[in-house]
Amino acid sequence: MNNNELICCEKIVDKEKVDKARKNLFSDTVTARLAIFFKIFGDSTRLKILMALNVSELCVCDIMATLNMKQSTVSQQLKLLREVKVVKYRQEGKQVFYSLDDDHIHKILTVGIEHIEEDKYE
Amino acid sequence: MNNNELICCEKIVDKEKVDKARKNLFSDTVTARLAIFFKIFGDSTRLKILMALNVSELCVCDIMATLNMKQSTVSQQLKLLREVKVVKYRQEGKQVFYSLDDDHIHKILTVGIEHIEEDKYE
DNA sequence: ATAACATATCATCAAGTAATGATATGAAGT
DNA sequence: ACTTCATATCATTACTTGATGATATGTTAT
């Protein structure tokens, strides 16, 4: 698990660059957490839920209605979204209202859109 | 595939919110492309490659050395990174040098880091 | 032409994950 | 207490994907 140790495989072309690149890596733990975080945005269903919540807080039932999805599907994905703290929720009687947890989510979506819009012409 | 048509399942709690949320959704096509784009960041191996390239352009061999990974693994992931235009490359003799395609990647990584650093205390 | 090398692609397999129906939990009304 | 309703969780299944060894492509040097 020590990724600062240089156990190399083949010939290195530019040792200096390799050393610098190695120093710039995050630890395996941080990298793994980042991957888990980003993975959340890598699914259409979850993206749609986030886009819906980007407008306003919604209860599970209204998320289902907005996206025309089954209850268990929505709940499953909300669970994942909760786990990485991308959404928060509050209970009000029988209903549970979900909303985006912070504005990083908005930022991330924006950067993603910018990126894919650049090759609109294709 | 028409996600603007309201085919609903159960009772809607707040019709106005649901309508607004529906209008804010992207098309299925855009959503799918976004998901494909973000999925790229949802894997530790690819994240490490991107972190390495964040420092400087590297040839495949030096990426292998930096991350201590097999050649086919690196090449496979580079292929995916190319497909979503997150990296670009240039050939120089036998070597192929990869680099980040634009600064959205840097921005995205930064936002991700900010997000996970917020709950460092856990 | 051929040998050596860097990289890409392919095929396989194991592991992960999304959708879904069924079931469980827990709140509000009767 | 019982019913209804909203949401959560569980188990199953089908699909996706990452790692890997083997092979192919293409470049340079001999």
Side-chain angles (χ1 to χ4, degrees):
Chain A
M1 284 299 184
N2 179 355
N3 64 359
N4 288 317
E5 196 182 328
L6 188 60
I7 314 158
C8 192
C9 10
E10 314 274 333
K11 282 171 213 154
I12 291 177
V13 172
D14 188 331
K15 176 118 175 59
E16 197 182 331
K17 274 190 186 174
V18 169
D19 286 343
K20 272 178 70 180
R22 285 193 141 251
K23 275 181 198 128
N24 196 54
L25 297 179
F26 294 125
S27 74
D28 284 352
T29 314
V30 170
T31 308
R33 292 189 64 189
L34 257 186
I36 290 168
F37 174 68
F38 283 126
K39 202 171 288 179
I40 284 295
F41 297 91
D43 174 81
S44 297
T45 299
R46 287 190 293 269
L47 279 180
K48 285 178 186 173
I49 293 178
L50 294 175
M51 288 168 191
L53 295 180
N54 208 14
V55 182
S56 66
E57 179 190 66
L58 290 172
C59 65
V60 178
C61 193
D62 284 352
I63 297 176
M64 292 163 61
T66 304
L67 306 177
N68 193 26
M69 288 198 258
K70 311 237 161 155
Q71 188 268 321
S72 54
T73 302
V74 172
S75 267
Q76 289 278 23
Q77 299 303 346
L78 284 172
K79 184 188 183 178
L80 298 176
L81 292 169
R82 258 185 281 133
E83 280 170 2
V84 293
K85 308 202 171 157
V86 159
V87 300
K88 60 189 175 203
Y89 61 99
R90 70 183 175 84
Q91 185 154 11
E92 192 178 310
K94 276 179 284 188
Q95 274 135 12
V96 180
F97 289 85
Y98 282 84
S99 54
L100 297 188
D101 196 2
D102 62 27
D103 70 342
H104 292 152
I105 286 69
H106 183 74
K107 275 192 209 162
I108 288 205
L109 290 177
T110 305
V111 179
I113 294 291
E114 279 173 17
H115 183 87
I116 68 169
E117 282 192 342
E118 278 180 7
D119 33 46
K120 237 177 188 167
Y121 46 81
E122 291 174 63
Chain B
M1 284 301 187
N2 179 355
N3 65 357
N4 288 317
E5 197 181 328
L6 189 60
I7 314 159
C8 192
C9 8
E10 315 273 333
K11 282 171 214 154
I12 291 178
V13 172
D14 188 332
K15 176 120 176 57
E16 197 182 332
K17 275 189 185 176
V18 168
D19 286 343
K20 271 179 69 181
R22 286 193 140 250
K23 277 183 197 124
N24 195 56
L25 297 178
F26 293 126
S27 73
D28 283 353
T29 313
V30 171
T31 308
R33 293 189 63 190
L34 258 185
I36 289 169
F37 174 68
F38 283 126
K39 202 171 288 179
I40 285 294
F41 298 90
D43 174 79
S44 297
T45 298
R46 286 190 293 269
L47 281 180
K48 285 177 186 172
I49 293 178
L50 294 176
M51 289 168 191
L53 295 179
N54 208 14
V55 183
S56 66
E57 180 189 66
L58 290 172
C59 65
V60 178
C61 193
D62 284 354
I63 297 176
M64 292 163 62
T66 304
L67 307 178
N68 192 26
M69 288 198 261
K70 311 236 162 153
Q71 188 267 321
S72 55
T73 303
V74 172
S75 268
Q76 288 278 22
Q77 300 303 346
L78 284 172
K79 183 186 184 180
L80 298 176
L81 293 169
R82 259 185 280 133
E83 280 170 2
V84 293
K85 309 203 171 157
V86 159
V87 300
K88 61 190 174 199
Y89 61 99
R90 69 184 175 85
Q91 185 154 11
E92 192 177 309
K94 276 180 281 188
Q95 274 134 14
V96 179
F97 289 85
Y98 282 83
S99 55
L100 297 188
D101 197 2
D102 62 28
D103 70 342
H104 292 151
I105 286 68
H106 183 74
K107 274 192 210 162
I108 289 205
L109 289 177
T110 305
V111 179
I113 294 289
E114 279 172 18
H115 183 87
I116 68 169
E117 283 192 342
E118 277 179 10
D119 33 45
K120 238 178 187 166
Y121 46 81
E122 290 174 64

